[in-house]
């Protein structure tokens, strides 16, 4: 079940209390913030809580104006933020793609607000898993996020950008042919150092730029 939200600055989702660690860990309940709230959005749940031996991911970041949804795989160990590793190229890539100078140095909540202002939302394709360490290759028993339900809440969505091979593979398995571009992007993870930052920026701009205008 999902609670209705009033008009909000941004909306976050949490795994439902009655499904965490159960057969449907990708379910979520809706949380929102009033447009008059002085507090900006932050991911609403702690990263990687252990529920029955499984790790749970972060809440999605979105509002009704999202045009591009960027899907990662699963957060790093003990991460309470998207792309928190200091050598992850995501925030530098978005700095160039969105023309937001100094984005990586801003407080996390303001970075999320900047993404939403440009129509970019975030989530991960894996809702929960078993994993030792932070590498995608170590993910086992992955449970999918409820992407189909989230897409129903994004009326202006134009494209889904998958940050790396695992995110793309999981998204394809969940959504099949979603009726809009499902794009495989070079991973911004420091574990994928074969492509330099300039090349990653170029690839992301070519893929996502046309959908953000």
């Amino acid at each position: 079940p999902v609670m209705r939200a009033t008009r909000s600055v941004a909306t976050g989702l949490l795994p439902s209390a009655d499904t965490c660690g159960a057969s449907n860990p990708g379910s979520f309940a809706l949380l929102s913030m009033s447009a008059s709230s002085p507090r900006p959005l932050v991911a609403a749940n702690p990263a990687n809580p252990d529920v029955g031996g499984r790790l749970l991911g972060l809440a999605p970041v979105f509002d009704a104006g999202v045009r591009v949804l960027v899907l990662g795989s699963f957060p790093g160990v003990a991460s309470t933020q998207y792309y928190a590793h200091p050598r992850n190229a995501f925030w530098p890539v978005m700095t160039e793609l969105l023309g937001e100078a100094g984005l990586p140095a801003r407080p996390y909540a303001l970075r999320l607000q900047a993404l939403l202002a440009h129509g970019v939302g975030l989530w991960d394709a894996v809702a929960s898993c078993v994993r030792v360490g932070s590498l995608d290759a170590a993910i086992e028993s992955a449970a999918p996020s409820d992407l189909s339900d989230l897409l129903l809440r994004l009326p202006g969505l134009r494209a889904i950008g998958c940050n790396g091979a695992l995110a793309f593979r999981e998204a394809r398995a969940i959504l099949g042919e979603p009726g809009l571009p499902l794009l495989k992007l070079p991973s911004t993870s420091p574990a994928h150092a074969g492509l330099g930052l300039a090349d990653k920026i170029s690839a992301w701009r070519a893929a996502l730029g046309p959908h953000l205008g």
Side-chain angles (χ1 to χ4, degrees):
V2 178
M3 298 182 295
R4 297 284 178 188
T6 57
R7 184 176 180 275
S8 58
V9 175
T11 305
L13 301 175
L14 288 171
S16 300
D18 60 344
T19 58
C20 288
S23 60
N24 189 20
S27 304
F28 46 72
L30 190 61
L31 302 179
S32 71
M33 291 178 57
S34 164
S36 62
S37 171
R39 296 184 299 110
L41 173 77
V42 295
N45 58 318
N48 296 169
D50 188 314
V51 178
R54 299 182 63 84
L55 303 176
L56 300 183
L58 295 168
V61 178
F62 72 97
D63 64 13
V66 164
R67 299 186 295 279
V68 169
L69 177 65
V70 174
L71 284 179
S73 51
F74 195 75
V77 171
S79 178
T80 60
Q81 302 178 2
Y82 282 101
Y83 306 109
H85 193 290
R87 291 193 293 115
N88 194 297
F90 175 78
W91 294 109
V93 166
M94 297 311 291
T95 294
E96 299 299 324
L97 183 60
L98 304 179
E100 287 280 352
L103 184 62
R106 298 179 196 178
Y108 179 61
L110 298 185
R111 278 180 271 154
L112 297 185
Q113 286 190 332
L115 293 186
L116 291 171
H118 287 277
V120 178
L122 300 176
W123 206 12
D124 288 322
V126 175
S128 70
C129 67
V130 175
R131 185 186 64 187
V132 177
S134 293
L135 295 178
D136 283 356
I139 290 176
E140 299 179 354
S141 303
S145 295
D146 195 344
L147 296 177
S148 297
D149 199 2
L150 179 59
L151 264 55
L152 293 176
R153 306 176 191 283
L154 304 178
L157 189 66
R158 300 176 184 174
I160 301 170
C162 299
N163 190 351
L166 178 60
F168 178 78
R169 186 168 65 249
E170 292 290 328
R172 177 69 76 192
I174 297 165
L175 297 172
E177 297 292 340
L180 49 81
L182 184 63
L183 307 168
K184 183 180 178 181
L185 304 169
S187 173
T188 60
S189 167
H192 297 272
L195 201 63
L197 177 59
D199 289 330
K200 290 181 181 182
I201 290 170
S202 179
W204 278 59
R205 179 181 283 123
L208 300 185
H211 305 290
L212 288 171

